[in-house]
Amino acid sequence: MIRYVCDLCGREIDPEEDSRFVVLIEVRPALRPPTVGNIEEEIDHLEELQRLLENLDDSQLEQPPAEVTRKFRFDLCASCRERFVKEPLGREARKIWQFSKN
C-alpha cells in the first residue's frame, strides 16, 4: 500500500477516506518578446522564417538545462489545500514573522 503524507502539515492521508490533492509547480525562464524593427519596412516573413530555421543548430532546439527549469510535486490534505489555494505564494504567512533589525 502506498503511504501519502501531506507535504505541508505532515499529516498522513488515507486515500480511501481522505481527499488528497496534488500541486504541480514548474519554474522556468519566460520567453523574451521579439523586438519590433522598423514596421514600415517591407518584410517577407516566410523568407525571414526560413533564414532563422536554417541558422538554428540542434542545441538551440533542446529543452533548457535542468538548472534553469525546475518542477515540483506536492501532496496536500484538504485543509492545507484550502490554505494553499487562498495564498499560493505564502505572502501573508511571511508578514507574521517579524525579525529585529540587528
Side-chain angles (χ1 to χ4, degrees), residues 69-86:
T69 300
R70 296 281 314 263
K71 294 182 181 182
F72 302 91
R73 182 185 184 281
F74 303 101
D75 291 318
L76 300 181
C77 66
S79 60
C80 288
R81 179 232 177 241
E82 290 299 318
R83 285 187 295 170
F84 181 81
V85 169
K86 287 179 185 174

PDB file of all heavy atoms in Angstrom, residues 69-86:
ATOM      1  N   THR A  69      15.198  25.060 -15.508  1.00  0.00           N
ATOM      2  CA  THR A  69      13.811  24.642 -15.350  1.00  0.00           C
ATOM      3  C   THR A  69      13.705  23.676 -14.177  1.00  0.00           C
ATOM      4  O   THR A  69      14.446  22.710 -14.099  1.00  0.00           O
ATOM      5  CB  THR A  69      13.298  23.959 -16.631  1.00  0.00           C
ATOM      6  OG1 THR A  69      13.395  24.888 -17.715  1.00  0.00           O
ATOM      7  CG2 THR A  69      11.862  23.513 -16.473  1.00  0.00           C
ATOM      8  N   ARG A  70      12.788  23.971 -13.254  1.00  0.00           N
ATOM      9  CA  ARG A  70      12.590  23.111 -12.090  1.00  0.00           C
ATOM     10  C   ARG A  70      11.110  22.762 -11.989  1.00  0.00           C
ATOM     11  O   ARG A  70      10.251  23.610 -12.219  1.00  0.00           O
ATOM     12  CB  ARG A  70      13.001  23.828 -10.800  1.00  0.00           C
ATOM     13  CG  ARG A  70      14.453  24.197 -10.674  1.00  0.00           C
ATOM     14  CD  ARG A  70      15.355  23.051 -10.278  1.00  0.00           C
ATOM     15  NE  ARG A  70      14.872  22.233  -9.196  1.00  0.00           N
ATOM     16  CZ  ARG A  70      15.220  22.355  -7.924  1.00  0.00           C
ATOM     17  NH1 ARG A  70      16.059  23.273  -7.558  1.00  0.00           N
ATOM     18  NH2 ARG A  70      14.729  21.547  -7.016  1.00  0.00           N
ATOM     19  N   LYS A  71      10.834  21.513 -11.665  1.00  0.00           N
ATOM     20  CA  LYS A  71       9.459  21.048 -11.463  1.00  0.00           C
ATOM     21  C   LYS A  71       9.340  20.506 -10.050  1.00  0.00           C
ATOM     22  O   LYS A  71      10.235  19.819  -9.568  1.00  0.00           O
ATOM     23  CB  LYS A  71       9.099  19.971 -12.482  1.00  0.00           C
ATOM     24  CG  LYS A  71       9.055  20.488 -13.901  1.00  0.00           C
ATOM     25  CD  LYS A  71       8.658  19.410 -14.864  1.00  0.00           C
ATOM     26  CE  LYS A  71       8.642  19.973 -16.283  1.00  0.00           C
ATOM     27  NZ  LYS A  71       8.206  18.978 -17.256  1.00  0.00           N
ATOM     28  N   PHE A  72       8.222  20.829  -9.409  1.00  0.00           N
ATOM     29  CA  PHE A  72       7.959  20.387  -8.050  1.00  0.00           C
ATOM     30  C   PHE A  72       6.597  19.699  -7.999  1.00  0.00           C
ATOM     31  O   PHE A  72       5.681  20.091  -8.713  1.00  0.00           O
ATOM     32  CB  PHE A  72       7.943  21.576  -7.076  1.00  0.00           C
ATOM     33  CG  PHE A  72       9.219  22.357  -7.058  1.00  0.00           C
ATOM     34  CD1 PHE A  72       9.407  23.436  -7.903  1.00  0.00           C
ATOM     35  CD2 PHE A  72      10.241  22.008  -6.198  1.00  0.00           C
ATOM     36  CE1 PHE A  72      10.581  24.167  -7.888  1.00  0.00           C
ATOM     37  CE2 PHE A  72      11.426  22.726  -6.165  1.00  0.00           C
ATOM     38  CZ  PHE A  72      11.588  23.807  -7.012  1.00  0.00           C
ATOM     39  N   ARG A  73       6.457  18.703  -7.114  1.00  0.00           N
ATOM     40  CA  ARG A  73       5.185  17.997  -6.926  1.00  0.00           C
ATOM     41  C   ARG A  73       4.972  17.820  -5.430  1.00  0.00           C
ATOM     42  O   ARG A  73       5.858  17.362  -4.718  1.00  0.00           O
ATOM     43  CB  ARG A  73       5.234  16.626  -7.586  1.00  0.00           C
ATOM     44  CG  ARG A  73       3.939  15.862  -7.460  1.00  0.00           C
ATOM     45  CD  ARG A  73       4.097  14.442  -8.029  1.00  0.00           C
ATOM     46  NE  ARG A  73       2.872  13.723  -8.015  1.00  0.00           N
ATOM     47  CZ  ARG A  73       2.351  13.147  -6.941  1.00  0.00           C
ATOM     48  NH1 ARG A  73       2.959  13.217  -5.789  1.00  0.00           N
ATOM     49  NH2 ARG A  73       1.209  12.492  -7.016  1.00  0.00           N
ATOM     50  N   PHE A  74       3.795  18.235  -4.954  1.00  0.00           N
ATOM     51  CA  PHE A  74       3.471  18.146  -3.538  1.00  0.00           C
ATOM     52  C   PHE A  74       2.110  17.502  -3.345  1.00  0.00           C
ATOM     53  O   PHE A  74       1.188  17.739  -4.130  1.00  0.00           O
ATOM     54  CB  PHE A  74       3.437  19.551  -2.900  1.00  0.00           C
ATOM     55  CG  PHE A  74       4.718  20.312  -3.063  1.00  0.00           C
ATOM     56  CD1 PHE A  74       4.842  21.290  -4.032  1.00  0.00           C
ATOM     57  CD2 PHE A  74       5.801  20.042  -2.250  1.00  0.00           C
ATOM     58  CE1 PHE A  74       6.024  21.995  -4.186  1.00  0.00           C
ATOM     59  CE2 PHE A  74       6.994  20.748  -2.393  1.00  0.00           C
ATOM     60  CZ  PHE A  74       7.098  21.715  -3.367  1.00  0.00           C
ATOM     61  N   ASP A  75       1.979  16.688  -2.292  1.00  0.00           N
ATOM     62  CA  ASP A  75       0.690  16.140  -1.876  1.00  0.00           C
ATOM     63  C   ASP A  75       0.173  16.991  -0.734  1.00  0.00           C
ATOM     64  O   ASP A  75       0.922  17.321   0.189  1.00  0.00           O
ATOM     65  CB  ASP A  75       0.837  14.692  -1.390  1.00  0.00           C
ATOM     66  CG  ASP A  75       1.177  13.736  -2.521  1.00  0.00           C
ATOM     67  OD1 ASP A  75       0.577  13.884  -3.600  1.00  0.00           O
ATOM     68  OD2 ASP A  75       2.034  12.853  -2.320  1.00  0.00           O
ATOM     69  N   LEU A  76      -1.114  17.351  -0.788  1.00  0.00           N
ATOM     70  CA  LEU A  76      -1.725  18.154   0.269  1.00  0.00           C
ATOM     71  C   LEU A  76      -2.995  17.496   0.766  1.00  0.00           C
ATOM     72  O   LEU A  76      -3.740  16.899  -0.009  1.00  0.00           O
ATOM     73  CB  LEU A  76      -2.073  19.560  -0.236  1.00  0.00           C
ATOM     74  CG  LEU A  76      -0.947  20.444  -0.751  1.00  0.00           C
ATOM     75  CD1 LEU A  76      -1.495  21.792  -1.182  1.00  0.00           C
ATOM     76  CD2 LEU A  76       0.139  20.609   0.287  1.00  0.00           C
ATOM     77  N   CYS A  77      -3.250  17.644   2.072  1.00  0.00           N
ATOM     78  CA  CYS A  77      -4.528  17.220   2.636  1.00  0.00           C
ATOM     79  C   CYS A  77      -5.554  18.308   2.305  1.00  0.00           C
ATOM     80  O   CYS A  77      -5.209  19.377   1.787  1.00  0.00           O
ATOM     81  CB  CYS A  77      -4.410  17.008   4.143  1.00  0.00           C
ATOM     82  SG  CYS A  77      -4.077  18.510   5.083  1.00  0.00           S
ATOM     83  N   ALA A  78      -6.816  18.068   2.615  1.00  0.00           N
ATOM     84  CA  ALA A  78      -7.883  19.003   2.254  1.00  0.00           C
ATOM     85  C   ALA A  78      -7.714  20.360   2.934  1.00  0.00           C
ATOM     86  O   ALA A  78      -7.894  21.407   2.304  1.00  0.00           O
ATOM     87  CB  ALA A  78      -9.241  18.402   2.605  1.00  0.00           C
ATOM     88  N   SER A  79      -7.350  20.386   4.214  1.00  0.00           N
ATOM     89  CA  SER A  79      -7.228  21.675   4.902  1.00  0.00           C
ATOM     90  C   SER A  79      -6.027  22.471   4.389  1.00  0.00           C
ATOM     91  O   SER A  79      -6.108  23.689   4.225  1.00  0.00           O
ATOM     92  CB  SER A  79      -7.161  21.486   6.416  1.00  0.00           C
ATOM     93  OG  SER A  79      -6.046  20.707   6.765  1.00  0.00           O
ATOM     94  N   CYS A  80      -4.923  21.813   4.111  1.00  0.00           N
ATOM     95  CA  CYS A  80      -3.755  22.510   3.563  1.00  0.00           C
ATOM     96  C   CYS A  80      -4.018  22.978   2.141  1.00  0.00           C
ATOM     97  O   CYS A  80      -3.521  24.013   1.710  1.00  0.00           O
ATOM     98  CB  CYS A  80      -2.517  21.629   3.629  1.00  0.00           C
ATOM     99  SG  CYS A  80      -1.890  21.423   5.311  1.00  0.00           S
ATOM    100  N   ARG A  81      -4.810  22.234   1.403  1.00  0.00           N
ATOM    101  CA  ARG A  81      -5.189  22.657   0.049  1.00  0.00           C
ATOM    102  C   ARG A  81      -5.950  23.976   0.110  1.00  0.00           C
ATOM    103  O   ARG A  81      -5.699  24.888  -0.668  1.00  0.00           O
ATOM    104  CB  ARG A  81      -6.036  21.588  -0.624  1.00  0.00           C
ATOM    105  CG  ARG A  81      -6.494  21.977  -2.022  1.00  0.00           C
ATOM    106  CD  ARG A  81      -8.008  21.804  -2.128  1.00  0.00           C
ATOM    107  NE  ARG A  81      -8.458  22.232  -3.438  1.00  0.00           N
ATOM    108  CZ  ARG A  81      -9.326  23.223  -3.609  1.00  0.00           C
ATOM    109  NH1 ARG A  81      -9.821  23.881  -2.586  1.00  0.00           N
ATOM    110  NH2 ARG A  81      -9.693  23.579  -4.816  1.00  0.00           N
ATOM    111  N   GLU A  82      -6.880  24.090   1.081  1.00  0.00           N
ATOM    112  CA  GLU A  82      -7.654  25.328   1.232  1.00  0.00           C
ATOM    113  C   GLU A  82      -6.723  26.506   1.516  1.00  0.00           C
ATOM    114  O   GLU A  82      -6.873  27.575   0.935  1.00  0.00           O
ATOM    115  CB  GLU A  82      -8.686  25.190   2.346  1.00  0.00           C
ATOM    116  CG  GLU A  82      -9.826  24.252   2.013  1.00  0.00           C
ATOM    117  CD  GLU A  82     -10.618  24.711   0.810  1.00  0.00           C
ATOM    118  OE1 GLU A  82     -10.898  25.919   0.676  1.00  0.00           O
ATOM    119  OE2 GLU A  82     -10.964  23.849  -0.024  1.00  0.00           O
ATOM    120  N   ARG A  83      -5.770  26.302   2.423  1.00  0.00           N
ATOM    121  CA  ARG A  83      -4.816  27.371   2.743  1.00  0.00           C
ATOM    122  C   ARG A  83      -3.953  27.717   1.537  1.00  0.00           C
ATOM    123  O   ARG A  83      -3.690  28.887   1.263  1.00  0.00           O
ATOM    124  CB  ARG A  83      -3.918  26.969   3.912  1.00  0.00           C
ATOM    125  CG  ARG A  83      -4.645  27.030   5.244  1.00  0.00           C
ATOM    126  CD  ARG A  83      -3.695  26.790   6.373  1.00  0.00           C
ATOM    127  NE  ARG A  83      -3.200  25.402   6.252  1.00  0.00           N
ATOM    128  CZ  ARG A  83      -2.212  24.901   6.950  1.00  0.00           C
ATOM    129  NH1 ARG A  83      -1.571  25.631   7.823  1.00  0.00           N
ATOM    130  NH2 ARG A  83      -1.850  23.644   6.792  1.00  0.00           N
ATOM    131  N   PHE A  84      -3.517  26.709   0.804  1.00  0.00           N
ATOM    132  CA  PHE A  84      -2.661  26.939  -0.357  1.00  0.00           C
ATOM    133  C   PHE A  84      -3.402  27.704  -1.449  1.00  0.00           C
ATOM    134  O   PHE A  84      -2.853  28.627  -2.056  1.00  0.00           O
ATOM    135  CB  PHE A  84      -2.145  25.611  -0.910  1.00  0.00           C
ATOM    136  CG  PHE A  84      -1.232  25.777  -2.087  1.00  0.00           C
ATOM    137  CD1 PHE A  84       0.101  26.092  -1.901  1.00  0.00           C
ATOM    138  CD2 PHE A  84      -1.713  25.625  -3.379  1.00  0.00           C
ATOM    139  CE1 PHE A  84       0.947  26.259  -2.996  1.00  0.00           C
ATOM    140  CE2 PHE A  84      -0.882  25.789  -4.466  1.00  0.00           C
ATOM    141  CZ  PHE A  84       0.453  26.115  -4.274  1.00  0.00           C
ATOM    142  N   VAL A  85      -4.650  27.334  -1.705  1.00  0.00           N
ATOM    143  CA  VAL A  85      -5.430  27.991  -2.761  1.00  0.00           C
ATOM    144  C   VAL A  85      -5.677  29.462  -2.412  1.00  0.00           C
ATOM    145  O   VAL A  85      -5.640  30.328  -3.281  1.00  0.00           O
ATOM    146  CB  VAL A  85      -6.760  27.242  -2.999  1.00  0.00           C
ATOM    147  CG1 VAL A  85      -7.699  28.023  -3.889  1.00  0.00           C
ATOM    148  CG2 VAL A  85      -6.472  25.878  -3.612  1.00  0.00           C
ATOM    149  N   LYS A  86      -5.891  29.746  -1.135  1.00  0.00           N
ATOM    150  CA  LYS A  86      -6.128  31.137  -0.718  1.00  0.00           C
ATOM    151  C   LYS A  86      -4.870  31.987  -0.841  1.00  0.00           C
ATOM    152  O   LYS A  86      -4.942  33.165  -1.141  1.00  0.00           O
ATOM    153  CB  LYS A  86      -6.635  31.178   0.725  1.00  0.00           C
ATOM    154  CG  LYS A  86      -8.059  30.709   0.869  1.00  0.00           C
ATOM    155  CD  LYS A  86      -8.490  30.758   2.312  1.00  0.00           C
ATOM    156  CE  LYS A  86      -9.882  30.169   2.461  1.00  0.00           C
ATOM    157  NZ  LYS A  86     -10.273  30.067   3.871  1.00  0.00           N
TER     158      LYS A  86
END
